[in-house]
Amino acid sequence: MNSVNQDAAAGLWDECDPPCLSLFQPTHRDHPDNQQDPIRFKNLVKALEESLRQKFESDETQSLLEPMLALAENHDFWNCTLDGLAVLRARDTFRVYKLQRPVPELAVVADSFHTKPLLRILQSADRYQVLALNRREMKLFEGNRDALDEIAPAGGVPRTLIDALGAELTDPRQTVSAYGGSGGGQAPMHHGHGGRKDELDQDAERFFRAVDRAVLEHHSKPSGLPLLLAALPEHHHMFHKLSHNPFLISESLDVHPDALASIDEFRERVWKTIEPRYLARLAGLVDTFGSNKPKGLAADDLAEVARATVSGRVATLLIEARRQIPGRVDASTGELAFNDLSHPELDDVLDDLGAVVLKMGGEVVVVPTERMPTETGIAAIYRY
């Protein structure tokens, strides 16, 4: 699977050689609900095909749809879905994202990718990552208040002590045993034999340093998400002392997920640790909005916020998570034109404003309805 965080940070959605195909659908994690997902996917692909055939020859249409049709028949893929699915396809692009939130069903062919559902997910305030660590291996997880899933580390991230140090192990007597091959679905298990404690500590420290550098470069920087350490207590001090990752939060979880009965139990413990920080961040934003509004440095009137957005005044924009206001924003004047969402390519005003704020170096935060300080779906905090 492709990474929403990494692709967004790399700007892979910014350029597309038309036609640009965008497909979104809600999916299900469990049987029997997930049986309907490939059927719905095929129907959406069919809608893309009908749109393509209005402008393109049959051979080109078939070439564009071929990887999507293959995905439709991939039974292993449909047995391991999450809560939502996004697929972006162009002549030189095929990206598939499993999402931890449901998304509205959509299939559209246009001159650019439709990425607003992905941007909303990226800007949601409750997202985080977890680094599960012991002396021999690391695991990465990504989640929100409702879901937590293990993710594959990027190619430059060492997953095990052997990956990181190889022949440079301090104790040459350490050996590695692997159980379960590539077909077994189990990760290798590494065991050290015969090393003295100080040598093992030295190797663990070097492994932790390598993991810290790689996770910062390949995951924390692209995502900007807070990172929680989940490890045995004896590993907390060493890792926090050596870490140079500014996204690593001071709180830690005193257990490795392998010691727990289920991923649900792990998610509950993680969210219990993350939630106070999440609530404090939202409360701080709401307080800043409330204190700045009487000074003319914040607003919730949509027309006013639109004008301030295009002039570059907005430092932070709060958007209500499930609110949509169909229409368009004039990027030069901020003038609003309202319509309905009957056409799949019609824009959403809130998303358009968020996109402009991001381009101008501001911050966009998608906030649950119950935490929004306004009734208009939007709250802007100004730079000046």
Side-chain angles (χ1 to χ4, degrees):
M1 288 301 98
N2 304 118
S3 167
V4 172
N5 295 325
Q6 293 169 11
D7 284 1
L12 294 183
W13 307 334
D14 298 342
E15 300 294 334
C16 173
D17 180 18
C20 310
L21 285 62
S22 306
L23 185 154
F24 293 86
Q25 76 169 90
T27 52
H28 304 82
R29 293 173 180 256
D30 302 314
H31 182 85
D33 292 336
N34 62 3
Q35 289 184 306
Q36 64 181 288
D37 293 339
I39 298 172
R40 295 170 71 178
F41 181 78
K42 290 177 183 178
N43 290 336
L44 291 169
V45 174
K46 185 68 175 177
L48 292 174
E49 180 180 9
E50 292 172 357
S51 181
L52 285 168
R53 289 192 184 279
Q54 296 177 22
K55 296 183 179 180
F56 299 94
E57 298 295 331
S58 178
D59 288 348
E60 186 169 9
T61 296
Q62 188 65 26
S63 175
L64 285 165
L65 296 178
E66 186 174 344
M68 304 179 82
L69 294 171
L71 184 65
E73 302 300 330
N74 186 332
H75 300 293
D76 291 338
F77 174 85
W78 294 106
N79 284 331
C80 300
T81 49
L82 300 180
D83 306 300
L85 174 67
V87 179
L88 305 180
R89 172 65 173 152
R91 291 183 178 92
D92 57 352
T93 303
F94 182 57
R95 313 300 285 179
V96 180
Y97 308 104
K98 292 181 180 180
L99 309 174
Q100 291 179 311
R101 297 187 191 276
V103 288
E105 205 168 80
L106 173 69
V108 60
V109 178
D111 292 335
S112 60
F113 289 129
H114 182 87
T115 59
K116 290 179 180 177
L118 299 177
L119 292 175
R120 281 222 170 186
I121 290 173
L122 286 172
Q123 301 302 325
S124 294
D126 61 346
R127 297 175 65 232
Y128 59 86
Q129 291 182 336
V130 182
L131 172 61
L133 193 64
N134 59 34
R135 292 177 181 272
R136 299 178 303 277
E137 65 179 1
M138 62 80 71
K139 296 180 180 180
L140 271 176
F141 297 80
E142 189 168 308
N144 54 54
R145 58 181 172 173
D146 300 314
L148 178 65
D149 298 284
E150 186 173 357
I151 61 174
V157 180
R159 303 188 185 199
T160 68
L161 176 71
I162 304 303
D163 290 343
L165 304 185
E168 297 181 5
L169 281 167
T170 301
D171 181 5
R173 291 168 290 177
Q174 287 209 13
T175 60
V176 178
S177 299
Y179 303 92
S182 58
Q186 297 181 351
M189 298 177 61
H190 301 281
H191 300 276
H193 302 283
R196 296 191 307 274
K197 183 179 184 302
D198 57 344
E199 292 175 329
L200 294 176
D201 286 346
Q202 185 177 358
D203 283 342
E205 181 175 338
R206 294 165 67 206
F207 174 46
F208 287 1
R209 288 186 187 278
V211 168
D212 180 65
R213 289 193 300 268
V215 168
L216 172 60
E217 184 65 27
H218 296 285
H219 291 277
S220 293
K221 284 183 178 179
S223 70
L225 296 177
L227 179 67
L228 172 72
L229 176 65
L232 295 177
E234 57 262 33
H235 298 149
H236 288 179
H237 177 72
M238 178 188 292
F239 190 82
H240 276 275
K241 183 179 179 180
L242 63 82
S243 177
H244 294 282
N245 189 335
F247 299 94
L248 179 69
I249 65 176
S250 58
E251 301 88 346
S252 295
L253 194 62
D254 292 341
V255 66
H256 190 280
D258 289 351
L260 300 177
S262 68
I263 187 68
D264 286 337
E265 182 181 356
F266 185 47
R267 180 190 60 79
E268 290 174 1
R269 294 201 185 193
V270 167
W271 183 243
K272 186 176 180 180
T273 306
I274 291 286
E275 185 178 25
R277 177 177 289 266
Y278 159 74
L279 293 177
R281 182 190 180 202
L282 291 186
L285 291 170
V286 170
D287 288 346
T288 300
F289 173 82
S291 61
N292 282 8
K293 190 176 181 184
K295 306 172 188 176
L297 294 176
D300 62 350
D301 178 77
L302 191 60
E304 179 185 341
V305 170
R307 291 190 295 271
T309 296
V310 300
S311 66
R313 290 182 61 200
V314 177
T316 302
L317 187 68
L318 310 184
I319 294 176
E320 187 176 327
R322 297 183 179 179
R323 179 75 69 91
Q324 284 186 319
I325 302 178
R328 298 182 185 276
V329 180
D330 187 307
S332 59
T333 66
E335 183 179 350
L336 301 175
F338 299 101
N339 208 313
D340 60 51
L341 285 174
S342 59
H343 194 285
E345 294 182 47
L346 188 65
D347 289 338
D348 173 61
V349 168
L350 299 181
D351 285 332
D352 279 355
L353 293 175
V356 176
V357 169
L358 290 173
K359 287 180 180 178
M360 293 190 171
E363 177 187 27
V364 177
V365 182
V366 177
V367 179
T369 301
E370 65 272 17
R371 301 287 175 185
M372 277 294 293
T374 72
E375 299 293 329
T376 61
I378 201 165
I381 301 170
Y382 294 156
R383 292 187 172 99
Y384 55 88

